Amino acid sequence: MQYLKQSKRDVSNLAKQIANTLMVGDILLLHGELGAGKTYFCGKLCRWLGVRQKVNSPSYLILNEYEGKYKIFHYDFYRLNSSEDALEVGILDRLEEGVTIIEWPNLVEKYLPPKGLEIYFQHNGNFRDITLKKIH
């Protein structure tokens, strides 16, 4: 586990470092309260992965797909109430097709293979406290 205190510039650099390690099939689980920086981080990560379109929170759509170095599946399960609702969007069918990023992953964590990284975001004034935990 690695703990970091990050400014916005630092978050972009962290996203770059992580982007350089990602491969098809990797999963990123983004934890944190509303406004903690999950979607901001995702936007920076996607940019480093070559995505040219604007990265938005998929809160209402549940899933946004992006094309870059890899296909990117960006999920946001904030509005869902059950694991069944989350699984119905076909998340398990796409895991090996690209990089999967999940905001509010608590509904599906137990169904996912142990492959990737958990990232915890927390407000700390003008900074974000970020904790990285490798998924084994």
Side-chain angles (χ1 to χ4, degrees):
M1 190 174 303
Q2 183 179 9
Y3 170 79
L4 307 163
K5 185 173 185 158
Q6 303 279 285
S7 67
K8 281 193 170 192
R9 175 178 279 158
D10 296 332
V11 170
S12 181
N13 290 334
L14 176 63
K16 180 180 182 182
Q17 291 172 1
I18 291 172
N20 288 333
T21 68
L22 292 176
M23 297 173 36
V24 169
D26 283 342
I27 302 166
L28 297 176
L29 305 179
L30 308 184
H31 301 272
E33 295 299 318
L34 286 172
K38 298 178 300 294
T39 302
Y40 178 81
F41 169 82
C42 186
K44 294 299 182 184
L45 180 76
C46 287
R47 185 171 180 201
W48 290 114
L49 288 171
V51 173
R52 297 197 185 284
Q53 66 199 92
K54 183 174 176 154
V55 174
N56 294 311
S57 173
S59 292
Y60 293 100
L61 301 173
I62 309 301
L63 167 64
N64 286 339
E65 292 183 36
Y66 304 109
E67 290 289 338
K69 180 178 181 181
Y70 310 114
K71 186 171 264 192
I72 300 164
F73 301 99
H74 179 198
Y75 296 89
D76 185 328
F77 293 140
Y78 177 74
R79 297 183 326 107
L80 300 184
N81 297 315
S82 70
S83 296
E84 293 78 24
D85 290 343
L87 294 173
E88 280 182 17
V89 300
I91 187 171
L92 299 179
D93 299 329
R94 296 182 186 99
L95 291 175
E96 295 302 320
E97 295 178 19
V99 172
T100 302
I101 303 167
I102 307 169
E103 296 187 40
W104 305 94
N106 56 320
L107 295 175
V108 296
E109 285 180 282
K110 66 183 176 186
Y111 300 101
L112 300 172
K115 187 176 182 181
L117 187 64
E118 286 188 274
I119 307 174
Y120 297 84
F121 297 84
Q122 186 172 20
H123 287 282
N124 187 351
N126 290 329
F127 293 89
R128 296 294 181 262
D129 293 336
I130 299 175
T131 304
L132 305 174
K133 181 181 173 189
K134 186 100 170 123
I135 301 171
H136 304 350

